Structures are given as C-alpha cells and as structure tokens.
Amino acid sequence: MLLNRIRTVTELRSELDAHRTNGSTIGFVPTMGFLHEGHGSLLRRAREESDVVVLSIFVNPLQFNDETDYEVYPNDDALDDRIAAKYGVDIVFNPSVAEMYPDGTPKTSVRVSDVTEVLEGKYRPGHFDGVTLVVNKLLHMVEPTRAYFGEKDYQQLAVVRQMVADLSMRSEIVGCPIVRDEDGLALSSRNSLLSADQRRRALSLSNALQVGQHQFLAGVTDPEMLVSAVREVLESESDVKVDYVAAVDCDTLRPPNVLSVPFQLLVAATVDNVRLIDNCRVEG
Ligand code: PAF
C-alpha cells in the first residue's frame, strides 16, 4: 500500500478540510516515530472509531531537556511505514522542524501549571512546555474529532487533558492502556537503546510496580511505606538509578495521606544511560 505522506501544513489542511466537508470523523495519533505495537494499539483504536486516521511523526526538539537524548532518539522510516500500513493509516503527517517552527523557537508558550510541576516536571525542566506547545499546534493543524495518547506517558496524558479542557479545544482526548512485552516491559521507542543486559535490568520497573500492588493488597496504605518497598526493588538492581517512585491521586498526581483505591503508581529510572518510565493503576 502506498502511504499518503504529507509534509506541509497547507497540504494537510486542504486534504482534511475536504474530508470534514464530507462529514468524516478524524482520528489522530501524534507520535515521534520509531513506532511499536504500543502506537499500534492507538492506531487500531483510531481506525475502529474514525473515518480518517491521521498519524503524525515529528521528533519535537522543544520537549527534549537533554540535547544528547534528542540526538540519539531512534528513527526508522521503513518500520514506521510498515506499522502505518498495517493499521490502515490514511495520512502520515511528517513535517520538518522548519515546517513546524518556521520562525525558529516560538515566542508563544502554552504552560499548564500544577499537574506539570511534579514527577517528570521536576526531573525534565521545560519538557512539558515543549509537549503542550507541539500538541497544541498539532491539534490546531489536524483538528481531529479524537486524539489518542498512551497511558504509558501517564502524566503527559493528564497534562494534555488539562490543556484541552482549559483552552476549550474541540477534540476528545482518548487515553489507551499500556502495551507490554511478554516479560512485562512496557513498550517504548527507547527500549531499542537497551542492550540485552540493560533490558533484563529494565524489567525491575514493571517488577517494582507489581510489588507495589501486592504491598497495597497486603494492607500497606501508608504512601511512604509503599513507595520505599517499590524503590527497594529498583535499587536492588545494579546501575538502575531511580528518579522517582510515587503513589498518587489518579487526577491531581499528588500523594494522598492514606492510600485508597484507585491510585496511580509511577516510576522513573535510568538504566545506565537510558531513562525509562512506567506506571500502573492500583484498583484493589
Ligand atoms: O508521546 C509522544 O510521542 C510525544 O510526546 C508527542 C505527544 C507526540 C508530542 O511530541
């Protein structure tokens, strides 16, 4: 199948306007490419629920607080094309940095407060400002009926929901469950940067989340006690450096005094030089 790849905003708008005039619904999956079956699950859902499916592939320089991280971000056009074709994507929007930011660094910022100030926000200064700016631009360009985001980036999903609500944007934001490999590792484009040994150690993230769930089921309702049990699992693995472990309210992302279901358990850790995040909902 020949993919319909569009590189300019003008062309994207004129094609999507034609679909909208016909009354078609538009499902949108924004990505930074190097697609995997986690993205596949978003595309599948978009395909099921929309007349037209748009996939964007754009590695957004503004959301990388670490320049090296941007430089080594993996890409594979052939892989992306295969996954896009597999899930019946209608339009691949693949702009250049100059197309997205024609005047260089934009002078407008889109800053969501509160939910951005914890967890990732503390460890990746400026990251969410880059995410909200690009997602805002993409939503303006595509004007989708629904946009699909993975729960793997749980905080990002919360931030995007807040932005869309605060700015009365029309698109519905749909969160989709994490997809895991058989051994439990949450799918992520960054997994490709892991050696076999690092990958084995990276399993400590999903294992630690499981321990947290078990601790709660065994009666631990003190957030600090639960967090330290989870942290212990991560720290027992060599060269896994923990950024944070948090047991928080599912919406505010702030820790409660006493844990009660549902709550969200989130971890972020660096395995040698590869930073990974994972999370799960504890529902009892
Ligand atoms: O989750 C991602 O891949 C990115 O943060 C997103 C939403 C495509 C914005 O660049």
Side-chain angles (χ1 to χ4, degrees):
M1 185 179 118
L2 205 57
L3 284 173
N4 181 6
R5 187 183 301 277
I6 291 181
R7 296 201 187 269
T8 67
V9 180
T10 311
E11 203 191 328
L12 178 74
R13 286 203 166 123
S14 93
E15 192 137 332
L16 288 176
D17 282 350
H19 286 295
R20 262 187 290 269
T21 310
N22 294 337
S24 296
T25 56
I26 297 169
F28 175 44
V29 179
T31 77
M32 299 207 296
F34 208 73
L35 303 180
H36 49 68
E37 289 301 330
H39 299 111
S41 73
L42 309 182
L43 292 169
R44 183 186 301 115
R45 178 112 183 243
R47 184 68 284 166
E48 282 164 6
E49 297 179 348
S50 335
D51 298 317
V52 178
V53 175
V54 180
L55 161 73
S56 69
I57 298 179
F58 176 65
V59 184
N60 174 32
L62 298 189
Q63 70 186 76
F64 286 83
N65 50 306
D66 173 351
E67 211 174 301
T68 329
D69 197 22
Y70 175 59
E71 280 157 15
V72 302
Y73 201 82
N75 80 296
D76 182 339
D77 293 346
L79 168 75
D80 292 348
D81 286 359
R82 264 201 314 280
I83 300 225
K86 176 173 171 188
Y87 290 98
V89 168
D90 297 299
I91 295 173
V92 179
F93 178 50
N94 192 186
S96 63
V97 172
E99 180 68 15
M100 287 298 283
Y101 302 119
D103 298 327
T105 304
K107 293 171 187 61
T108 301
S109 59
V110 183
R111 175 162 295 178
V112 173
S113 62
D114 220 37
V115 77
T116 56
E117 285 153 22
V118 292
L119 309 170
E120 291 297 288
K122 282 200 173 154
Y123 288 86
R124 303 186 65 189
H127 167 67
F128 284 123
D129 291 347
V131 170
T132 46
L133 186 74
V134 81
V135 171
N136 197 298
K137 281 175 73 91
L138 288 166
L139 290 177
H140 277 299
M141 290 165 183
V142 179
E143 296 181 65
T145 319
R146 296 183 197 86
Y148 298 82
F149 292 81
E151 287 173 357
K152 158 115 181 337
D153 293 294
Y154 189 83
Q155 191 175 5
Q156 169 174 278
L157 175 59
V159 170
V160 169
R161 282 193 199 285
Q162 187 70 58
M163 175 187 76
V164 166
D166 285 347
L167 299 182
S168 308
M169 298 175 88
R170 272 197 156 161
S171 307
E172 181 191 334
I173 301 302
V174 182
C176 300
I178 295 179
V179 180
R180 296 181 182 279
D181 266 335
E182 270 173 26
D183 56 10
L185 188 69
L187 296 192
S188 161
S189 303
R190 288 170 198 272
N191 294 354
S192 66
L193 302 171
L194 298 168
S195 68
D197 177 58
Q198 289 168 332
R199 197 182 183 293
R200 184 192 56 71
R201 285 183 280 139
L203 289 177
S204 58
L205 276 81
S206 50
N207 290 340
L209 291 175
Q210 279 195 0
V211 167
Q213 278 174 305
H214 290 146
Q215 288 280 313
F216 179 76
L217 295 177
V220 177
T221 55
D222 174 34
E224 277 181 30
M225 268 178 73
L226 190 125
V227 159
S228 56
V230 173
R231 186 177 268 277
E232 213 172 281
V233 178
L234 290 163
E235 288 177 345
S236 67
E237 197 57 77
S238 60
D239 293 317
V240 172
K241 192 184 135 289
V242 181
D243 274 354
Y244 60 79
V245 174
V248 296
D249 178 276
C250 301
D251 300 319
T252 63
L253 306 190
R254 302 280 171 173
N257 293 330
V258 176
L259 292 170
S260 63
V261 286
F263 66 91
Q264 205 72 23
L265 191 53
L266 301 100
V267 295
T270 306
V271 180
D272 295 339
N273 53 352
V274 185
R275 190 170 186 281
L276 300 170
I277 56 174
D278 199 353
N279 73 85
C280 69
R281 169 94 25 125
V282 181
E283 297 189 288

